[in-house]
Amino acid sequence: MPLDISLIRNRLDAASGVLAINSPNAVEDELVTKLLLEVAQPLEYKPYYWNLSKSLREVSLTRDKSGKITGIKKTPVPDYTTDNPVTGLFQFIRDCKDHALFLIANVQEFLPGGMQPNVFVLQDLIDLCREIKRSDKRIILLGDRLRLSHHFDGAIFEIDNPLPTEAERESNLEFRLADIKAQSKGKVKFNLSNQGRQNLIRAMGGITKEEADDLLLEAAITDKAITDGTGEFIKLRRSAKLRKRGVDILEPPPVKAVGLENLDRWLERKAKMFSPRAQEYGLDLPNGCLIVGPPGTGKTLTVKNMAATWEMPVFVMNIGRMMDRHVGGSEENMDRFLKEIESQTGILFIDELDKQFAAIAVNALGGDGGTSQRMFGTFLQWLNDKREKRIPIFVAATANRVDHLPSEFLRDGRWDAKFYVGLPRQKARAEILSVHLERRKIELSKDAIARIAVATDGFNGAELEQLVITCAEAAFIADRPGQVSLDELIEAAMVAPVQSRNPDEQEKLRQLEDWARQSAIPASLEADETIETAEYSSDRRARF
Ligand code: ADP
């Protein structure tokens, strides 16, 4: 949803002295231009702009001969000097006689939760909020990830300016392409297919409009062309920007997770539901799935494969990284992360959901003052809203155990489907061995691979891969790279550590299988079972 300008105007009219706009492009001219043009000008405010480096400036829009806006002019305020950058600014606002609008960027760094919190600034701003209400002046605070502390509850009205939606990105792209065409006077070649255009729109997700414009221009100048490859160029640059904001994009994995046919086919079908055509026919956007199973069975690999084949960015949720020692900081980080991703089409990957939210059960007893509980609450609420607001994010969560999972994650309807990935059976073990042998350039006959599969009962996928690596390394060191015999592999299998042979693990596995029998779809295709029967049978039980 774009920034609600009429809400801003109404609020300023209705004696809200101070508004705060939380916006990823808070310090970019684009937002200031919009506020000058659509708020200050029609309401006849004299606009001022302040930020830490530029101090206080009078601002106005600049236009070319045809009246088209070309930028913003910022001129220093005559005689404005102050010892303290912030309280000096607040005093200037108090003394100002104009019908003025002050756009103040990043002052939150001096407030609780900021980089240099200062109790005097806090109190001064609380007082100013009260005083300014009855005056002719108004303030708009601008900040990326601007979350004001509870001291301002009811005193400052907060508005979010989310990143552009897919539709907004599409119309902006058309506009920018036409602009580059006109400006470059034939020097930039255009060769963009429909698919290339779609890729470009996707590649521009997660960054601000101004960032996307800059990257498009950079691509046009560097390549002297806008082609189907431009999307890739933008994606690379975008990843660097997103990483800075704590959003990871996963790389496509070197191998495919094999032997998980049911899961694969289900995911393949769900991918199609993101297409505009499916949307045209009123089909629901996929919501997400939970993939449960013992460690090392290819759950993470499946999500990575899925991201690569769906051509979607993956946002990795890492609750540990969100934890912040400041009061309320962790909840804000969670909130910010979810806001950050929700204007995009992508996959939200929550690896080891059981471990990430394990603190909930422990901390319900008051361990961390309820922080984990509140983060969990925020996330659950977001999951509900996501469905209602039709946010095109597919949530892919994995878990090794279900007994540590809050029950809210297991209830019916939370996921489109819950899958169980068990230890690979003989046929699947042979397939897994094949892909990993092939990757290490080891050639063995089908029959030999089948015999290793028989000898590796109880191995998970990661252990099968490790077996191949151990033998491949030994062969390499013995100066015969890629030359591994059947006997070597069988011998190595006899001595390899196998997690599922540990009695504790066996008990966990048994419990997990009990749960899966009642509540999950098997990820692997059994001889007589197809995805249709698994998903639509009246008892959706896993069979082992
Ligand atoms: P999980 O998320 O289930 O704990 P991973 O997906 O991280 O396990 O698997 C670890 C590694 O083991 C993978 O990177 C892959 O090399 C190998 N592996 C596990 N299962 C499979 C599989 N079904 N097919 C191919 N490789 C597998």
Side-chain angles (χ1 to χ4, degrees):
M1 208 179 58
L3 183 64
D4 192 343
I5 291 288
S6 58
L7 177 67
I8 297 176
R9 288 201 211 126
N10 290 342
R11 278 280 156 177
L12 292 178
D13 268 350
S16 287
V18 187
L19 302 189
I21 303 180
N22 169 35
S23 172
N25 66 348
V27 291
E28 293 176 6
D29 281 353
E30 187 210 337
L31 180 62
V32 177
T33 306
K34 198 174 178 71
L35 293 171
L36 292 183
L37 189 67
E38 299 181 34
V39 179
Q41 227 169 54
L43 300 183
E44 296 180 350
Y45 282 109
K46 176 169 181 184
Y48 288 89
Y49 179 79
W50 179 94
N51 72 16
L52 266 175
S53 61
K54 294 267 165 24
S55 185
L56 189 64
R57 296 276 195 267
E58 287 176 4
V59 278
S60 56
L61 295 169
T62 54
R63 295 172 189 268
D64 64 11
K65 280 192 205 120
S66 67
K68 196 175 144 210
I69 293 167
T70 51
I72 305 173
K73 192 166 140 209
K74 298 180 180 136
T75 38
V77 175
D79 304 328
Y80 176 77
T81 52
T82 165
D83 294 337
N84 181 310
V86 193
T87 48
L89 165 74
F90 292 169
Q91 196 52 47
F92 180 89
I93 296 176
R94 285 192 174 92
D95 296 341
C96 179
K97 301 277 180 292
D98 298 325
H99 174 65
L101 178 67
F102 293 88
L103 305 175
I104 301 179
N106 288 339
V107 77
Q108 75 274 11
E109 298 304 348
F110 296 99
L111 299 173
M115 284 198 297
Q116 274 193 31
N118 179 320
V119 68
F120 298 107
V121 172
L122 171 68
Q123 188 57 53
D124 208 6
L125 185 56
I126 293 173
D127 294 343
L128 189 60
C129 285
R130 205 171 341 103
E131 292 160 29
I132 206 171
K133 255 186 173 180
R134 291 180 295 275
S135 83
D136 215 12
K137 294 163 282 193
R138 293 290 179 258
I139 296 174
I140 299 183
L141 305 180
L142 305 171
D144 184 9
R145 305 169 170 194
L146 178 68
R147 288 276 173 262
L148 295 168
S149 58
H150 63 88
H151 306 91
F152 298 102
D153 285 355
I156 297 183
F157 186 75
E158 296 184 45
I159 299 171
D160 283 320
N161 180 28
L163 292 166
T165 60
E166 190 145 342
E168 287 165 343
R169 292 202 298 273
E170 187 168 359
S171 70
N172 183 47
L173 178 68
E174 294 312 320
F175 179 76
R176 282 294 147 203
L177 289 176
D179 199 37
I180 294 174
K181 222 175 233 174
Q183 304 276 338
S184 72
K185 301 197 173 79
K187 287 200 196 96
V188 175
K189 300 273 168 285
F190 286 79
N191 189 4
L192 199 58
S193 69
N194 263 345
Q195 186 56 47
R197 194 173 291 256
Q198 286 309 314
N199 289 347
L200 257 180
I201 296 166
R202 280 211 181 139
M204 288 172 163
I207 49 178
T208 66
K209 178 170 164 291
E210 203 152 289
E211 282 171 331
D213 292 351
D214 288 351
L215 289 180
L216 192 65
L217 197 60
E218 192 185 333
I221 293 170
T222 317
D223 297 344
K224 301 213 167 28
I226 300 281
T227 64
D228 287 358
T230 307
E232 277 311 306
F233 175 93
I234 293 189
K235 261 193 212 162
L236 277 175
R237 304 287 159 110
R238 180 189 68 167
S239 299
K241 282 182 192 296
L242 290 181
R243 263 190 212 111
K244 273 194 214 148
R245 293 188 196 138
V247 175
D248 289 321
I249 306 259
L250 294 182
E251 297 301 326
V255 292
K256 198 183 157 336
V258 288
L260 309 175
E261 304 83 354
N262 269 346
L263 181 54
D264 280 351
R265 288 175 61 183
W266 185 86
L267 288 171
E268 216 171 281
R269 276 209 331 229
K270 289 294 164 191
K272 295 198 175 119
M273 298 305 132
F274 277 103
S275 69
R277 198 163 156 72
Q279 298 305 299
E280 224 173 85
Y281 281 89
L283 295 168
D284 280 345
L285 275 171
N287 201 32
C289 67
L290 173 65
I291 310 172
V292 179
T297 45
K299 301 184 292 297
T300 307
L301 192 59
T302 302
V303 178
K304 290 183 180 174
N305 284 148
M306 170 177 124
T309 46
W310 289 20
E311 287 199 340
M312 282 189 184
V314 184
F315 308 105
V316 183
M317 184 187 265
N318 185 332
I319 305 234
R321 236 173 36 191
M322 288 179 189
M323 287 299 185
D324 189 308
R325 61 192 171 84
H326 293 109
V327 178
S330 315
E331 295 91 320
E332 274 175 27
N333 286 342
M334 168 70 91
D335 201 40
R336 199 179 286 160
F337 174 80
L338 296 172
K339 286 249 158 58
E340 184 98 34
I341 63 171
E342 74 181 22
S343 66
Q344 312 182 49
T345 302
I347 299 162
L348 170 59
F349 175 36
I350 317 176
D351 202 12
E352 305 201 342
L353 184 70
D354 47 339
K355 291 209 181 102
Q356 299 224 35
F357 282 99
I360 307 298
V362 180
N363 290 317
L365 305 171
D368 66 357
T371 298
S372 311
Q373 285 286 349
R374 284 192 295 274
M375 288 173 84
F376 175 58
T378 304
F379 180 57
L380 281 186
Q381 183 62 45
W382 183 84
L383 280 180
N384 292 340
D385 290 353
K386 186 179 98 61
R387 211 187 270 267
E388 255 168 51
K389 291 198 231 157
R390 298 174 61 79
I391 296 173
I393 295 271
F394 184 87
V395 185
T398 73
N400 291 338
R401 304 178 63 157
V402 283
D403 50 344
H404 286 174
L405 265 183
S407 57
E408 286 88 340
F409 280 137
L410 293 173
R411 74 164 175 73
D412 277 352
R414 170 68 66 210
W415 311 97
D416 295 332
K418 292 183 282 232
F419 283 93
Y420 177 69
V421 186
L423 288 176
R425 292 166 163 242
Q426 194 176 318
K427 184 168 158 281
R429 290 200 296 278
E431 286 174 34
I432 297 173
L433 284 163
S434 291
V435 293
H436 291 291
L437 287 165
E438 198 176 307
R439 198 175 153 221
R440 274 93 192 173
K441 301 196 168 42
I442 301 170
E443 277 181 36
L444 282 181
S445 69
K446 261 191 161 177
D447 187 46
I449 294 174
R451 285 172 63 188
I452 311 164
V454 173
T456 48
D457 190 20
F459 279 54
N460 64 30
E463 287 160 347
L464 292 170
E465 182 186 21
Q466 191 50 51
L467 178 68
V468 172
I469 293 174
T470 307
C471 294
E473 280 180 0
F476 183 82
I477 287 167
D479 219 11
R480 44 179 174 86
Q483 305 292 311
V484 176
S485 71
L486 167 63
D487 288 347
E488 279 169 330
L489 278 155
I490 300 267
E491 250 171 60
M494 309 278 269
V495 292
V498 181
Q499 203 178 25
S500 69
R501 293 189 185 147
N502 168 328
D504 278 356
E505 293 301 323
Q506 275 171 4
E507 177 53 25
K508 275 190 217 156
L509 194 62
R510 203 188 49 74
Q511 285 175 6
L512 206 53
E513 287 182 352
D514 279 350
W515 168 83
R517 234 172 251 120
Q518 301 297 322
S519 320
I521 303 170
S524 305
L525 189 65
E526 297 308 330
D528 57 344
E529 199 170 47
T530 65
I531 176 75
E532 278 74 24
T533 54
E535 193 167 10
Y536 298 120
S537 66
S538 52
D539 69 332
R540 299 160 78 204
R541 290 177 190 181
R543 273 158 235 144
F544 306 101

